Amino acid sequence: MSGVGPLERLELQPMIRVGLVGLGAMGANHLRALRSNPRCEVVCVVDNADTLAQKMTGLHGIDLLASVDLLPSIDAAIVASSTPSHFDITTDLLHRGIPTLVEKPMVTSADSVLKLLGLAESSRTVVMCGFVERFNPVVMTAMDMLDSPILHLRTQRQSPPAGRHSSNAIWDLLIHDLDLALRLLPGVAPENIYALGNRTGGTRLESIEGTFHLGKTLVNTMCSRLWQRKVRAIEIATESTLLELDLLRQTITTYKNISQEQLSGAGLVYRSATTIDVPFVRHAGEPLALELDHFFDLVQGLSDPDVERESILLPHQLAEEIERLCL
């Protein structure tokens, strides 16, 4: 295909026939994003046939199936069902050789993640985990801006109490930030891991604070499902710059201290000066839409499935260790 540009290559690819498993809150988001993507066609949804699922699929003329066993011939699948169902469903799909995107967490056991990754590798089938924050424009912009080692990394991910959850806050919230920390500081294993959690408001871990080292970088993480406002924030400190990332508003603020002095006079006065900047963030699209495009690149051989598969295990292992320390 010499002389054919990337957009033209995409146009030459066939339409991807997708099956969506699970039509809860996240599944509904996937359905919306899928229907807006010109590279795919949603041919069916697998969900218990309740009124909402029937209404949503009927509105768009999509077949509603009661079981994964009834899936027709498809090119790719997205698993957005409850976390406890992920392992069996994903195992079934990978055995059939169907490229699969599994919402995070893939499963809540590192050993089970390893089994799924081994199955994907042995069957040469694409598998991807839905770490959607990887595709947040502020994260991608910050990674491009970093030009010196990170000294300190701090993350906050908090939500108000709401609804039922099939897993604790580590797997629901914190794993996103563990994954981002590992991407910002690649190639080093977590050490000196320490964590505390509490179960206020229920029997599951709802608030967690963790600390660990990635190489020489100190990482502090905090998450809660008992907060009174939604927060998604990361602070990245280098020798010369502090970057504050607001993942909800998709903004970055940078701080650089330029002077510090003590003035004598009526009394000892300390004065410092700091420059503040709000750099431009290029918004290439909604993170979920970008995630789906990356998945389709994997399906169509435009991205490396081995690199993708190798990025999945470590954040699950770190989440599992933090959970063990909190129990």
Side-chain angles (χ1 to χ4, degrees):
M1 277 196 222
S2 59
V4 179
L7 291 178
E8 293 169 296
R9 283 201 297 273
L10 290 180
E11 289 173 359
L12 292 173
Q13 295 281 357
M15 183 77 74
I16 299 170
R17 292 168 50 82
V18 178
L20 173 62
V21 183
L23 202 54
M26 199 62 214
N29 279 332
H30 273 287
L31 181 59
R32 173 187 53 77
L34 287 165
R35 294 196 71 257
S36 299
N37 193 308
R39 299 172 66 181
C40 73
E41 175 192 3
V42 183
V43 296
C44 61
V45 169
V46 178
D47 197 272
N48 56 350
D50 61 19
T51 303
L52 179 59
Q54 291 175 345
K55 181 178 179 181
M56 292 181 67
T57 53
L59 182 65
H60 302 299
I62 299 170
D63 288 340
L64 178 62
L65 309 177
S67 168
V68 174
D69 296 335
L70 301 175
L71 279 172
S73 174
I74 53 176
D75 304 311
I78 294 171
V79 178
S81 54
S82 64
T83 300
S85 70
H86 285 185
F87 183 81
D88 289 343
I89 291 172
T90 306
T91 298
D92 185 1
L93 293 168
L94 293 177
H95 271 305
R96 297 195 220 176
I98 300 173
T100 303
L101 166 61
V102 189
E103 261 309 319
K104 65 79 205 165
M106 183 170 277
V107 285
T108 57
S109 156
D111 284 345
S112 295
V113 172
L114 198 56
K115 290 176 183 177
L116 292 176
L117 297 179
L119 177 56
E121 183 176 16
S122 63
S123 64
R124 303 309 301 162
T125 304
V126 166
V127 69
M128 178 177 165
C129 185
F131 287 121
V132 69
E133 294 286 26
R134 294 182 181 185
F135 303 91
N136 193 310
V138 298
V139 173
M140 295 188 287
T141 300
M143 293 179 75
D144 288 339
M145 291 176 62
L146 289 170
D147 56 7
S148 58
I150 299 174
L151 303 178
H152 194 171
L153 180 66
R154 184 168 67 180
T155 75
Q156 296 181 70
R157 186 170 295 262
Q158 295 141 345
S159 294
R164 297 170 57 188
H165 300 277
S166 59
S167 55
N168 63 40
I170 295 171
W171 299 105
D172 180 35
L173 296 177
L174 186 62
I175 192 169
H176 276 302
D177 293 324
L178 301 180
D179 177 64
L180 292 179
L182 293 165
R183 291 183 75 77
L184 287 163
L185 295 152
V188 289
E191 296 180 317
N192 307 318
I193 305 168
Y194 182 75
L196 290 172
N198 76 46
R199 295 173 173 78
T200 304
T203 58
R204 286 199 177 102
L205 287 165
E206 297 292 342
S207 298
I208 299 96
E209 292 199 26
T211 301
F212 52 92
H213 280 104
L214 286 173
K216 296 182 179 180
T217 304
L218 178 63
V219 181
N220 302 117
T221 61
M222 176 182 180
C223 79
S224 176
R225 293 193 301 212
L226 302 173
W227 222 244
Q228 293 307 306
R229 69 185 182 99
K230 191 173 181 178
V231 178
R232 305 286 187 269
I234 299 177
E235 293 178 294
I236 305 170
T238 71
E239 287 187 355
S240 61
T241 309
L242 171 66
L243 289 79
E244 288 185 348
L245 282 59
D246 186 326
L247 278 64
L248 289 178
R249 295 180 176 86
Q250 298 190 353
T251 60
I252 298 177
T253 306
T254 65
Y255 302 86
K256 291 179 181 285
N257 182 260
I258 56 175
S259 68
Q260 301 179 68
E261 57 182 334
Q262 289 183 337
L263 305 174
S264 59
L268 195 61
V269 178
Y270 172 80
R271 182 171 68 186
S272 69
T274 301
T275 63
I276 302 174
D277 188 25
V278 181
F280 173 74
V281 175
R282 180 176 176 270
H283 291 80
E286 177 193 0
L288 182 58
L290 297 176
E291 177 187 85
L292 290 173
D293 266 328
H294 180 64
F295 176 52
F296 294 152
D297 284 348
L298 291 167
V299 172
Q300 295 180 326
L302 302 173
S303 288
D304 190 337
D306 295 334
V307 171
E308 186 66 32
R309 190 177 60 252
E310 289 164 5
S311 74
I312 294 172
L313 179 61
L314 192 51
H316 287 82
Q317 288 177 321
L318 181 52
E320 187 174 62
E321 176 61 12
I322 289 175
E323 181 180 50
R324 184 189 70 80
L325 292 169
C326 291
L327 295 177

